[in-house]
Amino acid sequence: MVSILPRITPRAVRYSLRTVARPQLSIQRPSAPLYRRYLSTPAEQPRLRLGSTAPNFKAKTTQGDIDFHDFIGSSWAILFSHPADFTPVCTTELGAFAKLKDEFEKRGVKMIGLSANDLTSHDKWVEDINEVCNTNLQFPIIADADRKIAYMYDMIDQRDLDNIAEKGIPFTIRSVFIIDPDKKIRLTMMYPASTGRNTSEVLRVIDSLQTGDKKGIATPINWQVGEDVIVPPSVSTADARKKFGDVKEVKPYLRYTNVGK
Ligand code: BEZ
C-alpha cells in the first residue's frame, strides 16, 4: 500500500535534528496565502466559551471611543455584528433592534452593533436605517474596518471564499453575544450573512437567562415569560417544593413549577 505520510529516513532525522539545534535561523518563510491568513485561527485567539470573560477592547463607535468593559459597566450587554453597511438584510435587522430600545432597556441590556466599516459609512447608513425602518437608532455601532474585533470574537465565515476571491477579505457574519454584568459570555448565536436574525428570540433568551439567575431554574423549549419553568436536576423535589410551592413531577428528572412573570 502506498502511504501518503512522508517517509522518515535516517537522513531526514539527522537533518531535522540539525535544524532544531541550529540557533536563531532567520529564514523568512513565504507568508501564507491571503485566504489562509484571514481564516486561520491565531494561537492568541481567545476562547469564546459560554462562561468565559468577554474579551475587552477599545474601539471607535458612532457615539465616541469606548472601552468595552467600561461601556457594559453594571448592565447586561448584547454585542451583535453584521456583514456590512448599506446591505439589505442588515438594514432590516438594525432597524428592528433600534425599535426594541425600550424592551432592551427594561431588561437592563445595553445594545452595541459592529461592522467592518468606518464611522463615516456608519453615520450615513444610520440615516438610511432611520428612514427605511421609520425609527431612531440610538445604540452605538463599532467601526471595525480593520476587523480587529471581528477576529477577536471570531465573527468570520470560514466558507466565505466568494468574498475573499472578489475582495480579498472574508465577510463578518451575524454574531450575537449576550454578556452579563460580570462580563461573562452567557449566550452566542451565529447566523450566516444570508439569514436575518430574530429579535424575539434574542429577547426570549435574555428573559430566560435573567429568570434563571434570579430564581435558580431552567426554561424548557419555546418558553416565554410567565410559563412553567423547569426545576434543575441539582435540586431535589422536596427542596423545590419548599422553595417554589407547587411542583409537578412528570418524571423524577422532569419537574415543572411556576415562578410568575
Ligand atoms: C445583507 O445584509 O443583505 C447581506 C450582506 C452580505 C451578504 C448577503 C446579504
Side-chain angles (χ1 to χ4, degrees), residues 236-257:
S236 71
T237 302
D239 284 348
R241 290 204 165 110
K242 271 189 226 146
K243 187 171 176 186
F244 302 117
D246 187 34
V247 171
K248 287 167 244 161
E249 193 177 272
V250 179
K251 291 276 179 190
Y253 60 84
L254 177 58
R255 289 125 345 127
Y256 289 99
T257 188

Side-chain angles (χ1 to χ4, degrees), residues 111-162:
M111 288 190 267
I112 185 160
L114 176 148
S115 75
N117 299 96
D118 62 24
L119 284 179
T120 314
S121 164
H122 282 354
D123 287 339
K124 288 203 187 104
W125 185 42
V126 168
E127 287 174 21
D128 268 17
I129 295 169
N130 287 339
E131 180 200 323
V132 172
C133 303
N134 189 26
T135 188
N136 178 16
L137 191 154
Q138 289 182 44
F139 54 82
I141 305 176
I142 296 166
D144 189 35
D146 59 4
R147 288 168 162 67
K148 208 176 89 206
I149 301 159
Y151 288 119
M152 185 188 278
Y153 275 79
D154 216 6
M155 296 162 163
I156 300 293
D157 188 334
Q158 182 76 22
R159 296 170 314 160
D160 178 30
L161 298 175
D162 288 349

Side-chain angles (χ1 to χ4, degrees), residues 53-208:
T53 301
N56 197 19
F57 56 82
K58 292 188 191 315
K60 296 203 176 306
T61 83
T62 47
Q63 295 179 12
D65 293 358
I66 61 154
D67 170 288
F68 186 49
H69 283 189
D70 289 348
F71 166 80
I72 298 172
S74 56
S75 302
W76 287 68
I78 162 174
L79 167 65
F80 54 106
S81 62
H82 46 272
D85 295 355
F86 298 103
T87 49
V89 178
C90 304
T91 302
T92 64
E93 285 192 311
L94 282 246
F97 277 111
K99 283 185 171 166
L100 288 170
K101 174 179 173 284
D102 292 348
E103 290 298 324
F104 283 97
E105 266 177 20
K106 214 160 71 183
R107 292 160 173 84
V109 181
K110 287 185 179 170
M111 288 190 267
I112 185 160
L114 176 148
S115 75
N117 299 96
D118 62 24
L119 284 179
T120 314
S121 164
H122 282 354
D123 287 339
K124 288 203 187 104
W125 185 42
V126 168
E127 287 174 21
D128 268 17
I129 295 169
N130 287 339
E131 180 200 323
V132 172
C133 303
N134 189 26
T135 188
N136 178 16
L137 191 154
Q138 289 182 44
F139 54 82
I141 305 176
I142 296 166
D144 189 35
D146 59 4
R147 288 168 162 67
K148 208 176 89 206
I149 301 159
Y151 288 119
M152 185 188 278
Y153 275 79
D154 216 6
M155 296 162 163
I156 300 293
D157 188 334
Q158 182 76 22
R159 296 170 314 160
D160 178 30
L161 298 175
D162 288 349
N163 202 50
I164 294 169
E166 206 180 295
K167 298 191 181 152
I169 46 170
F171 267 135
T172 44
I173 55 167
R174 301 180 199 284
S175 291
V176 176
F177 288 87
I178 294 177
I179 299 162
D180 71 15
D182 292 332
K183 322 293 182 287
K184 300 293 180 208
I185 298 174
R186 299 294 300 275
L187 179 130
T188 63
M189 294 177 184
M190 288 187 187
Y191 280 54
S194 54
T195 306
R197 284 158 285 199
N198 183 317
T199 50
S200 306
E201 175 60 3
V202 174
L203 288 173
R204 195 188 75 86
V205 291
I206 291 169
D207 287 336
S208 167

